[in-house]
Amino acid sequence: MQKTPSVQVPTNNLAKDEEYEGKAKIIRVLDDQNLLIKFKDDLTAFDGVKKATKKGKGYLNAQITKILYAYLEKQGIPTHLIEQINETTFRAKKLRMLPIEFVIRNYSAGSFVRRYGLSKGMKLKKPVLELFVKSDELHDPLIDPSVAIELGFITRDEYELGKLYSYLVNEFLLQLFDHIGLTLVDFKLEYGVDHEGKLYLADELSPDSMRLWKKGTQESFDKDVFREDKGEVIQAYEYVYKYLQKAKDFQPTSPRFRIHLLIRLKQGIVDAEGAVVKRALTRLGLTQLNEARVGKIIDLEIVATNIERSLETFSTGRTEFLINPLIENSEIIFDV
Ligand code: ADP
Ligand code: TMP
Ligand code: ASP
């Protein structure tokens, strides 16, 4: 029988005191809600095919992740990071990781260039989000969001919120890196869910998981230096760390996002307005029309200064006054 490749994230099955050694980090579970993440000096590329150990890499990635997560937390993005234990180790929230990588691209590079036959370095009109299955065995295939939801890899809500956070993280990081003379070409994010179902940005955010070019050039300050043998990778990471340290007080302009609140009559509730629309359209010749139902959209534009707090307003049922819960349903759609 053919072996079914697994898309289980290995850390999702760890019990207390158990350890998982991945390609770049070691995870040790402390209890139901806490784990330790130790950043290693190991570097891998092409699904672990190319390997090296570079002294100081773990330290640099831990520091860079810490700076970027602290910056994002300040902007209201929830991250798994709790505290730094030592130079290469963090305590973080133990999460059920989604087996999906969220990749945002601002310029064409890497697999995007290969997949679509593009030239490298094309600025995309709008940032692009791509989802990949987190599986070395399957070589991290691209997956359509509807398929990821259908196969149960992520729920619709996890996808919608992950998408919103990913675009907002991009807006915040673009500004920060621009401030230190680097262009954020693309990056990968991972998310996990805690015991209460809350979504957090997890894993790491470092030059291992993003592409950074010196502004106006294609000179890499990320893992491409190692992937493509373009010089001393540690020097590139040190450069990023050094300049990020200098930008600790950087204040970004907050991006805006929209929430569309779709309000519909529940199934089975008689819709008088819908009946009028149906009659009118049928009279116009749309005899194939089976049913018309009329709802309402409330469009909200929100300044992303405290995203978590903004979203809490909607998740705690306090917006029920906007609908009549006896006869109406509401659905939230994010738009960045
Ligand atoms: P890989 O598993 O691809 O070799 P790493 O060496 O970076 O990668 O291992 C880190 C593992 O820990 C990844 O599988 C990642 O999804 C997982 N992970 C990251 N943060 C958390 C968290 N807060 N809770 C549970 N698992 C996590
Ligand atoms: P890609 O161009 O190879 O698809 O990569 C897009 C971005 O995602 C790039 O910044 C590197 C990052 N990435 C990871 O962090 N881990 C991975 O396994 C892959 C494939 C990409
Ligand atoms: N993250 C993958 C690996 O470490 C792929 C890559 O970065 O090229 O092998």
Side-chain angles (χ1 to χ4, degrees), residues 96-107:
R96 174 184 58 79
M97 297 299 289
L98 308 183
I100 292 290
E101 300 183 342
F102 287 65
V103 169
I104 294 270
R105 304 180 188 272
N106 297 303
Y107 289 79

Side-chain angles (χ1 to χ4, degrees), residues 81-124:
L81 186 60
I82 300 171
E83 61 169 342
Q84 184 157 14
I85 301 289
N86 61 41
E87 287 197 334
T88 54
T89 309
F90 294 142
R91 185 164 67 87
K93 292 192 163 64
K94 180 183 186 304
L95 304 172
R96 174 184 58 79
M97 297 299 289
L98 308 183
I100 292 290
E101 300 183 342
F102 287 65
V103 169
I104 294 270
R105 304 180 188 272
N106 297 303
Y107 289 79
S108 60
S111 73
F112 195 66
V113 159
R114 292 194 294 278
R115 194 163 36 255
Y116 301 116
L118 309 170
S119 55
K120 179 174 155 186
M122 232 170 56
K123 188 175 186 338
L124 303 172

Side-chain angles (χ1 to χ4, degrees), residues 151-165:
L151 295 180
F153 293 166
I154 45 173
T155 65
R156 180 163 297 282
D157 286 353
E158 287 163 355
Y159 168 63
E160 286 296 332
L161 193 53
K163 181 168 71 170
L164 175 68
Y165 282 162

Side-chain angles (χ1 to χ4, degrees), residues 9-12 20-27 35 37 80 92-97 134 136 190 202-204:
V9 181
T11 56
N12 288 352
Y20 162 76
E21 176 155 6
K23 297 191 294 294
K25 299 186 286 292
I26 298 172
I27 306 288
L35 46 70
I37 302 186
H80 69 157
K93 292 192 163 64
K94 180 183 186 304
L95 304 172
R96 174 184 58 79
M97 297 299 289
K134 201 172 136 54
D136 281 352
E190 291 186 27
D203 205 51
E204 67 178 283

Side-chain angles (χ1 to χ4, degrees), residues 23 46-47 101-105 108-115 130 132-134 136 139-140 184-190 203-204 206-212 222-224 227:
K23 297 191 294 294
F46 314 117
D47 302 332
E101 300 183 342
F102 287 65
V103 169
I104 294 270
R105 304 180 188 272
S108 60
S111 73
F112 195 66
V113 159
R114 292 194 294 278
R115 194 163 36 255
E130 289 184 324
F132 294 88
V133 181
K134 201 172 136 54
D136 281 352
H139 305 293
D140 291 358
L184 178 62
V185 175
D186 56 28
F187 60 96
K188 182 261 309 180
L189 297 175
E190 291 186 27
D203 205 51
E204 67 178 283
S206 75
D208 266 14
S209 56
M210 56 178 66
R211 287 194 174 90
L212 296 165
D222 57 61
K223 199 158 83 170
D224 272 354
R227 287 193 192 96

